[in-house]
Amino acid sequence: MRYLSHSHRTMRPLLLVCLLQLVFSGCATDPGTKQIPTQARGFIATEAMVVSAHPEASRVGKEILQLGGNAYDAAIATQFALAVVLPAAGNIGGGGFLVYRQHTGKAGTLDYRETAPAAASETMYQDSAGNVVNGLSTGGHLAVGVPGTVDGMVQLHGRLGSLPWARLVQPAIDLAAKGVVLTEKEAAGLNRTRENFLQHNKHIPYLTRESNWQAGDTLRHPDLARTLSRIRDEGRDGFYTGVTADLLVREMQRSNGIITHQDLQRYAAVWREPVTGRYKNYRVISMAPPSSGGVALLQLLQMVAPYNLQRYGWQSTETIQLMTEAERRVYADRATYLGDPGFVTVPVQELLDSVYLRQRMATLDLAKATPSTAVKAGEMPVYESEQTTHFSIVDTQGNAVSATTTLNGAYGSKVVVEGAGFLLNNEMDDFSVKPGVPNMFGLVGGKANAIAPGKRMLSSMTPTILEKDGKLYMVVGTPGGSTIITSVYQAILNVVAHGMTMQEAVAAPRFHHQWLPDEIQHEPNAISPEVREALRHKGYTLQERGPYGRVDAILVLPDGRLEAGADPRGDDAAAGF
Ligand code: GLY
């Protein structure tokens, strides 16, 4: 049976206006009460759905589901489509994390995070005097980690896929060959990055041209179409060996890159157990280290679980204070304890222990802010850029995939592999470029996240699935660097504690605290003037910032239908049937 098949953007115009106003100017400003439109549901499907950062990628995923493909097939097709239609973050030159829940209830995760090349070292971004060299870990060839996406998709297909591999890669090849019509945001992103593309490439990358890109222009990717064809025909070997690998290694040698053929051949995605925990009658399934996201999200939810957030109200002084105090403590833990479990011992059980979490909140005083200096004298969280992308999928059988994938910064290292047509990540900057000492952004990371050959850099990506009463309930995730964790946290609480629809929950304006800097960062109109004043009175510093995050989520409604939450901050869209 077919139902709606349009994107969320065809919702009633009035409702959309209200949602957008909610994000960027506020629909209502009454503090401590529900400042949200009433029951503004997102796009509804009855059988299967894909929500991603681009309408074309969602369409590709939906078509695979309509062909009888499962959620894993659709994830592979969506991931490759995003590599074409969303060059800022979709990728084959980066990596990601994927959480899945089979319709039987079995859950697992796939880690296709990049790794440090064999020639990497703890001090590789420092000069002989031990000073961090500005820009070395964020742009250009030396910033690139060994890409994991293609091996991740190959492994996903081998274990859980059902349709032929070639069928899943083909839609991306078609998009690359035919070209993609640029949206206003994409054109602006490419224009903004033009100088960086020229700076970091010896050739003139095809993503630049003499005049500015305009919305409506078609961007074709002929080299990328050929690379994707090799991946279609040869699978893993189409990327990690042969022509593509030769082009990538030659690109490295053109400048100061260090990735070798051996690094590429050695790369392997890893199947990991998810981290799981409970929030009231919900079971939360999320990503284990080397992402900090799952551990941090579970800590946050458990720390606020004893409090009645619903009674306090959405964005009330008390709710913001409780969530902020939990965030402050969790990000302090993150900076100290989290890293690649293949290299450091990450005390996951201890960090999620209920007695430990109660103790962490015991110092909470609702009369005043806890200064971050009193929480932990230690190291700050690592800088992470906010350009990543997420997609959520549910198939006709009830299998679910939550996947977050990234090049790190917008367009990654800005290096385009000449002749292969894809961008390389700058994920090496997610390591601590110099543990204990501020990096170029004025931030530092912990020893646990120091660079070592073959090691995975710490991440905040938080692809997450919720069960309610043992059944699939929500699939959620977002880009946003260190704000990923708190955006997912808020999207979940907006639904389960504040009764929002999925669309309202992803559109609602957000706030963020990450221990250091000791400030509540918030989107415009996320916090009413009265609540801001009350928080300031209690000793909190508030910092307004532009919109961030692109939460894409699916909620299973009580009657079994699926509701999309497609973030109006981007070009995000849902497709389903
Ligand atoms: N590069 C962003 C993250 O992994 O969190």
Side-chain angles (χ1 to χ4, degrees), residues 95-97 113-114 290-293 334 383-388 404-409 426-427 429-430 457-462 478-485:
F97 295 104
R113 182 72 160 164
E114 301 92 326
S291 186
S292 62
R334 180 196 186 279
Y383 163 83
E384 279 160 24
S385 130
E386 302 185 350
Q387 289 299 330
T388 296
T404 313
T405 178
T406 187
L407 287 169
N408 194 17
N426 62 340
E427 218 73 57
D429 195 60
D430 270 352
M457 52 296 283
L458 186 61
S459 170
S460 294
M461 291 190 272
T462 314
T478 184
S482 60
T483 66
I484 289 175
I485 298 162

